[in-house]
Amino acid sequence: MAKPPTIVDVAHMLGVAPSTVSRAFNNPRILKPDTVARVLAKAAELGYVPNRHAQALTTGRSGLVGLVIRDVSNPFFARAIRATQREAERLSLNAIVVECDSDADREQRLIDRVLPQVEGLVLASTRLSAARLTELSRRTRVVLVNSDLAGFTRVLASASEALDQGIRLLAGAGARKLAYVGGPPYSWSEAERWGTVRRVAAERGLAVTYVSANMGTYGEGRAAAVSIAEAEVDAVVAFDDVIAHGVLDGLTILGVRVPEDVRLLGCDDALPIETHPRLSTVRLDIEQAFVTAVRALAEGSVSGQRILVPGVLTVRETT
Amino acid sequence: MAKPPTIVDVAHMLGVAPSTVSRAFNNPRILKPDTVARVLAKAAELGYVPNRHAQALTTGRSGLVGLVIRDVSNPFFARAIRATQREAERLSLNAIVVECDSDADREQRLIDRVLPQVEGLVLASTRLSAARLTELSRRTRVVLVNSDLAGFTRVLASASEALDQGIRLLAGAGARKLAYVGGPPYSWSEAERWGTVRRVAAERGLAVTYVSANMGTYGEGRAAAVSIAEAEVDAVVAFDDVIAHGVLDGLTILGVRVPEDVRLLGCDDALPIETHPRLSTVRLDIEQAFVTAVRALAEGSVSGQRILVPGVLTVRETT
DNA sequence: ATGAAAGCGCTAACAG
DNA sequence: CTGTTAGCGCTTTCAT
């Protein structure tokens, strides 16, 4: 692994100053076009590539953003990672992905570790307290996704409107008793979804049973099917698709037919596989949300604005 | 965002040399314990954190490794990302994740972009040619996962043995005609799995039909069910679980019962959800594979060794 | 339009 | 044990 050529090597070979080489890359317009061409040609010939560490040291810009998520195995985050990376790429940035397991202390620790290398952080469904976030935002740029804290720039992938539509659809089909299978407590998404379900159900005069699936796993969803069957509801709204599929499987095992006996609505639409019957869900525009977040980071707008990205109701076979 | 304190600030406040502060962090044993304590205390008081860009510039070590994968939405890679990140964390490294869509040119381009910032690269199922990889390995450390190129350090998550067992199980249960639904062509995993299926089938005197699912999607698996049903096989081995579930769904739609009419075996065991009936599969030790890869990178062993990590047959309800 | 020189924050000889 | 002194490779005034 030979030591790569530096800006000085290129300069010497051409009999120009190192600063000229630097300018050929960063500010070519102030140079004579011919000079730029010669520098670029020689650089290519030598295989010169700017040393990002040196650049970072002088400019303070590392070209890195951090993406902090809870759980890589949740398909929601696959779409999040992809969108973040694509947008970063477009902005000549790279993304560091950090998984923190819904554990605030671990999250803080990992953030402290990446902090010195990144230009900014996208925090998805963070568990950090407002105080810690305020402290953090003094050290780096921060954009929140799916956390609604005033004062911070935040992007919210909202299911509310689509969920409203979905419940009206359920009610229109004759549903009178509803179950909502909730996800991670204290998260903004959970608050929004449960809030919407409760409100719309009340408006329509539907009864609602709350069943919890705190960790948001498939197994919890399947276990929840038991209480759901006991409650004799006509429809189930699940926090997300993973839970919804658990419920679907659990219900099937118990001999409850979907959608004939019970209708089922999920949320996210991120699974790499479908099932039979195909799950009706709220398709969240996760890509849009994370692209927006990365852009806000890059623009460095300390705007503190609140951006809502609505999902759309996607009716398939379980409603 | 105030400018953070530097090593010089800490040194001045204590009346010691900057190098002493540096040593208190990097080589405390050569310092008087009392000195170390004073430096660390003052550093903590000022909120001093080493500037990684400066460190990277002087030492040449950025504390970053790159993980290059094909497709974040494939659950295989969720386990890969998690394992890589955990092991990196343990080694005081951070991981940059890059998704390249099974496209060699895009892969090369993205690699060139991260190259200047990383200490090494883990390439999972790379599409890069041996020539390009050789060229790459002159510029940075490279460890391959699921690519078997002599001369490179490589870790292979092998399904062969477990698949062999699985097929014998299928044959023991009376299967005579087999279908194999293949995944991404030219990949090592595909070659290994298809090779094993063909070999073991021949040994046992089973007929084998090859059906392809090049992109490895659920939809292709479901589509493949048609040819599978036509071929009137008794058992199906799928390249991975995503495809297997597509096949399962497709077969169900066609009225073919699993496992009563056709038995089904997947590979990977990485899905965040289960289905009904639960899929029998080969559980790959993806964590072990990527942990090993990261460690090999960090150790910088230019060993070029070939490490096999076997999977285990996991019998559930479809065989 | 280009060169010279200083400095980003840190580490690593080399002294003592 | 600790201080002094050079850089690492690049950008950026300030000159010319």
Side-chain angles (χ1 to χ4, degrees):
Chain A
M1 246 172 285
K3 195 150 66 76
T6 74
I7 219 169
V8 179
D9 298 328
V10 180
H12 278 171
M13 303 230 55
L14 252 38
V16 301
S19 48
T20 299
V21 177
S22 173
R23 286 191 270 253
F25 282 90
N26 303 311
N27 212 349
R29 308 123 53 95
I30 70 166
L31 252 42
K32 204 162 51 179
D34 167 61
T35 313
V36 176
R38 279 169 49 227
V39 170
L40 261 33
K42 181 58 79 181
E45 180 193 329
L46 297 182
Y48 166 76
V49 176
N51 179 320
R52 308 232 35 178
H53 308 319
Q55 285 187 166
L57 182 55
T58 46
T59 62
R61 306 205 46 194
S62 64
L64 288 171
V65 294
L67 171 65
V68 181
I69 63 181
R70 284 193 187 193
D71 174 10
V72 268
S73 71
N74 187 318
F76 174 94
F77 290 113
R79 288 174 61 193
I81 292 173
R82 171 177 293 150
T84 302
Q85 200 219 300
R86 293 296 163 89
E87 188 58 22
E89 191 186 334
R90 205 163 299 134
L91 298 166
S92 301
L93 296 168
N94 283 128
I96 298 184
V97 178
V98 172
E99 181 193 41
C100 62
D101 296 320
S102 309
D103 171 343
D105 289 326
R106 180 171 154 80
E107 184 173 355
Q108 180 74 55
R109 221 170 47 244
L110 290 174
I111 286 177
D112 286 340
R113 279 173 48 59
V114 291
L115 204 52
Q117 346 208 336
V118 300
E119 294 183 32
L121 248 23
V122 175
L123 305 183
S125 313
T126 180
R127 280 288 173 103
L128 259 37
S129 64
R132 280 179 163 191
L133 284 172
T134 305
E135 158 65 14
L136 183 60
S137 65
R138 270 200 293 273
R139 309 211 277 150
T140 193
R141 282 175 186 162
V142 172
V143 174
L144 270 27
V145 175
N146 286 358
S147 300
D148 192 12
L149 274 78
F152 295 91
T153 301
R154 54 211 192 276
V155 184
L156 304 168
S158 172
S160 187
E161 214 175 304
L163 224 39
D164 187 331
Q165 269 181 56
I167 296 168
R168 274 157 34 208
L169 186 79
L170 259 17
R176 306 303 306 150
K177 286 189 74 179
L178 221 63
Y180 172 75
V181 188
Y186 311 115
S187 71
W188 173 82
S189 306
E190 165 66 4
E192 192 208 30
R193 292 172 204 177
W194 171 226
T196 302
V197 169
R198 200 164 34 174
R199 176 178 56 72
V200 178
E203 285 169 13
R204 303 264 141 187
L206 308 176
V208 184
T209 310
Y210 182 96
V211 185
S212 79
N214 289 349
M215 306 306 298
T217 64
Y218 175 86
E220 289 173 301
R222 196 168 45 187
V226 177
S227 350
I228 290 170
E230 280 172 0
E232 299 192 329
V233 301
D234 336 275
V236 177
V237 175
F239 173 78
D240 71 12
D241 294 341
V242 173
I243 295 172
H245 270 109
V247 170
L248 175 58
D249 192 13
L251 251 23
T252 305
I253 292 170
L254 295 172
V256 179
R257 292 166 309 163
V258 176
E260 292 81 357
D261 303 330
V262 171
R263 291 157 196 277
L264 177 61
L265 182 63
C267 194
D268 281 3
D269 199 26
L271 288 180
I273 76 172
E274 294 168 11
T275 49
H276 195 72
R278 288 156 61 227
L279 185 70
S280 296
T281 191
V282 170
R283 182 171 175 85
L284 257 30
D285 199 345
I286 304 172
E287 287 73 20
Q288 182 61 44
F290 282 84
V291 164
T292 305
V294 173
R295 242 178 241 169
L297 254 198
E299 285 167 8
S301 59
V302 243
S303 58
Q305 60 189 316
R306 181 180 192 270
I307 301 164
L308 227 58
V309 180
V312 320
L313 181 65
T314 305
V315 175
R316 292 204 267 255
E317 298 168 3
T318 59
T319 44
Chain B
M1 249 173 281
K3 193 149 67 72
T6 75
I7 218 169
V8 179
D9 297 329
V10 180
H12 277 170
M13 304 230 53
L14 251 38
V16 301
S19 50
T20 300
V21 178
S22 172
R23 287 190 270 253
F25 282 90
N26 303 312
N27 211 350
R29 308 124 54 95
I30 70 166
L31 252 42
K32 203 162 54 179
D34 168 61
T35 313
V36 176
R38 278 168 52 226
V39 170
L40 261 34
K42 181 60 78 180
E45 179 193 330
L46 296 182
Y48 165 76
V49 177
N51 179 320
R52 308 233 35 181
H53 308 318
Q55 285 187 159
L57 182 56
T58 46
T59 63
R61 306 204 47 194
S62 64
L64 288 172
V65 295
L67 171 65
V68 181
I69 62 180
R70 283 194 186 192
D71 173 10
V72 267
S73 70
N74 187 318
F76 174 94
F77 291 113
R79 287 174 62 192
I81 293 174
R82 171 176 294 149
T84 302
Q85 200 219 302
R86 291 298 163 90
E87 188 57 22
E89 190 186 334
R90 205 162 299 134
L91 298 166
S92 300
L93 296 168
N94 283 128
I96 297 185
V97 178
V98 172
E99 182 193 41
C100 61
D101 296 320
S102 310
D103 171 344
D105 289 327
R106 180 172 155 77
E107 185 173 355
Q108 180 74 55
R109 221 171 44 245
L110 289 174
I111 286 176
D112 286 340
R113 280 174 48 58
V114 291
L115 206 51
Q117 345 209 332
V118 301
E119 294 183 32
L121 248 23
V122 175
L123 306 184
S125 313
T126 181
R127 282 286 173 103
L128 259 36
S129 65
R132 279 178 163 193
L133 284 172
T134 305
E135 158 66 14
L136 183 61
S137 66
R138 270 201 293 272
R139 309 212 277 148
T140 193
R141 282 175 185 163
V142 173
V143 174
L144 271 28
V145 175
N146 287 359
S147 300
D148 192 11
L149 274 78
F152 295 90
T153 301
R154 52 211 192 278
V155 183
L156 304 168
S158 171
S160 187
E161 214 175 306
L163 223 40
D164 186 330
Q165 271 180 55
I167 295 169
R168 272 155 37 206
L169 187 78
L170 259 17
R176 305 304 306 148
K177 287 189 72 178
L178 221 63
Y180 172 75
V181 187
Y186 311 116
S187 71
W188 173 83
S189 306
E190 166 66 5
E192 191 208 31
R193 293 172 204 178
W194 171 225
T196 302
V197 169
R198 200 164 33 173
R199 175 177 57 74
V200 179
E203 286 169 13
R204 304 263 140 187
L206 308 177
V208 184
T209 310
Y210 182 95
V211 184
S212 79
N214 288 350
M215 306 303 299
T217 64
Y218 176 86
E220 288 173 302
R222 197 167 45 188
V226 177
S227 351
I228 290 170
E230 280 172 0
E232 299 192 329
V233 302
D234 337 274
V236 177
V237 175
F239 173 78
D240 71 13
D241 294 342
V242 173
I243 295 173
H245 269 109
V247 170
L248 175 59
D249 193 14
L251 251 22
T252 306
I253 292 171
L254 295 172
V256 179
R257 291 166 309 163
V258 177
E260 293 81 357
D261 303 330
V262 171
R263 290 156 198 278
L264 177 62
L265 182 62
C267 194
D268 280 4
D269 199 26
L271 288 180
I273 76 172
E274 293 168 11
T275 49
H276 195 72
R278 288 154 63 227
L279 185 70
S280 295
T281 191
V282 171
R283 182 171 175 85
L284 257 31
D285 199 344
I286 304 172
E287 286 73 19
Q288 182 61 44
F290 282 85
V291 163
T292 306
V294 172
R295 243 177 240 169
L297 254 197
E299 284 167 9
S301 57
V302 244
S303 58
Q305 60 190 315
R306 181 179 192 271
I307 301 164
L308 226 58
V309 180
V312 320
L313 181 64
T314 305
V315 176
R316 292 205 266 255
E317 298 168 3
T318 58
T319 44

